[in-house]
Amino acid sequence: MALKLEKKRQTPAVTTYEGKAKILIPTDRPGVLRMQFKDDATAFNAQKKGQIRGKGEINCTISSYLFQYLQQQGIPTHFLAQVAPAEMEVTALEMFALEVVVRNRAAGSLCRETGLPLGMELEPPLVEFYYKNDALGDPLLTPDRLRLLQLATPDQVQALTRLAEQINTHLRRFFAECGLLLIDFKLEFGRDRAGQIVLADEISPDTCRLWLAGETDPTKRVVDKDRFRYDLGEVESAYRLVLERVLQQAPRS
Ligand code: ADP
Ligand code: UDP
């Protein structure tokens, strides 16, 4: 039983790993990975596949700025440096097999599964845990299932929830200053060698839903991966708009 559960944990890459949106490459420095961002786009558990021109560079740059911003706010992140337009160096972590989703307004699977109207404000915001497991379709977890699968200890779940709430407060304010509404987003976390919980992966229009503030037209307001998911067109220009607004807001220190 212990062995079976051990296998479910994700360990830091010791060999190159190619995922759907990024490639992780070990470096000659122990504990440091190169993370290359691809233009490849997938949706609906990889049933829909395509490419968004320039996405790798855009998402890498947006993520780099947001990780630096969050670090300034006291959130530990895996970000070390952006070393090329579509490449950053990060701290290798032992990842939780979890996707932590924060929702400020109803959208996506929450609307599909509950019937709540699109855009309904959620106060307090929802923090939800999903099992990061492509073969199972990343199912929503209950606290009991989280415990059963031993994906995190109760203390870790509490710490992850608190971190997700804090990150939401910071990102919501940051995007509001960019004229963007942060509808929902997905976070991934891991543990470093000291056992500290650290924010990982990326924060970008691939992993956040963002709407133009003040725009009521339901197709015009979307500036995130929903443009790709639902064939709304103007995908690349939406990603570029987010990049430009983030860069204006966060001059590199
Ligand atoms: P996926 O694996 O879901 O196809 P990606 O293509 O985005 O996703 O690949 C990035 C992978 O790297 C993800 O599996 C993610 O959990 C993992 N990851 C992100 N940050 C780190 C890190 N700092 N250390 C180790 N693994 C990481
Ligand atoms: N999300 C993500 N990766 C996933 C699943 C979701 O980045 O594998 C993000 C998604 O972009 C959105 C939020 O998490 O910002 C909530 O997604 P939701 O559960 O509504 O799923 P979806 O409608 O995308 O299937």
Side-chain angles (χ1 to χ4, degrees):
M1 188 63 175
L3 239 184
K4 207 170 155 214
L5 287 168
E6 198 62 29
K7 273 194 192 158
K8 285 188 188 138
R9 276 208 220 122
Q10 298 185 332
T11 48
V14 283
T15 54
T16 295
Y17 164 84
E18 176 152 11
K20 298 183 289 296
K22 300 188 286 298
I23 303 172
L24 289 187
I25 305 161
T27 66
D28 51 14
R29 278 156 299 153
V32 177
L33 299 174
R34 270 166 50 212
M35 182 176 262
Q36 283 178 356
F37 287 65
K38 304 195 284 183
D39 287 355
D40 296 353
T42 60
F44 309 120
N45 203 21
Q47 285 173 52
K48 181 180 169 95
K49 290 191 176 123
Q51 288 239 319
I52 301 171
R53 200 158 49 90
K55 177 171 85 76
E57 294 188 15
I58 294 170
N59 281 0
C60 182
T61 306
I62 293 173
S63 289
S64 297
Y65 275 81
L66 293 177
F67 282 134
Q68 286 174 87
Y69 171 72
L70 289 170
Q71 261 165 213
Q72 284 163 10
Q73 312 302 314
I75 305 289
T77 86
H78 69 160
F79 177 82
L80 296 173
Q82 185 175 4
V83 292
E87 190 172 312
M88 61 168 76
E89 283 185 349
V90 300
T91 306
L93 300 173
E94 184 172 350
M95 298 297 288
F96 291 98
L98 291 171
E99 299 193 341
V100 184
V101 170
V102 183
R103 300 180 188 274
N104 294 309
R105 287 175 183 249
S109 67
L110 181 64
C111 293
R112 286 198 304 275
E113 291 166 10
T114 64
L116 287 174
L118 177 66
M120 192 186 106
E121 283 189 48
L122 306 169
E123 192 50 54
L126 260 57
V127 178
E128 299 182 318
F129 289 78
Y130 291 80
Y131 188 8
K132 186 171 165 63
N133 186 319
D134 283 342
L136 297 175
D138 297 344
L140 176 64
L141 293 165
T142 62
D144 278 349
R145 287 185 187 188
L146 235 160
R147 217 175 5 257
L148 178 71
L149 295 169
Q150 296 181 18
L151 298 172
T153 67
D155 283 353
Q156 287 169 339
V157 171
Q158 206 179 17
L160 290 167
T161 305
R162 177 94 187 99
L163 271 171
E165 286 167 349
Q166 288 171 340
I167 292 165
N168 184 40
T169 301
H170 297 308
L171 288 183
R172 226 174 148 168
R173 191 183 314 128
F174 180 91
F175 281 121
E177 284 166 10
C178 300
L180 298 171
L181 291 182
L182 179 59
I183 304 303
D184 61 25
F185 58 100
K186 182 266 301 181
L187 300 171
E188 292 187 33
F189 294 90
R191 273 174 304 160
D192 65 14
R193 287 187 198 169
Q196 187 190 22
I197 297 180
V198 175
L199 177 63
D201 207 52
E202 68 177 283
I203 306 174
S204 72
D206 268 10
T207 62
C208 301
R209 282 198 171 90
L210 294 161
W211 292 356
L212 293 171
E215 175 61 69
T216 49
D217 184 315
T219 56
K220 281 193 194 148
R221 67 188 174 192
V222 173
V223 286
D224 56 60
K225 197 159 121 181
D226 274 353
R227 299 208 74 83
F228 168 77
R229 288 189 186 99
Y230 300 108
D231 297 318
L232 300 178
E234 314 264 339
V235 185
E236 189 195 325
S237 55
Y239 276 62
R240 282 204 184 281
L241 179 146
V242 176
L243 173 66
E244 277 157 25
R245 299 228 182 155
V246 167
L247 295 189
Q248 276 168 13
Q249 199 55 39
R252 196 183 281 275
S253 51

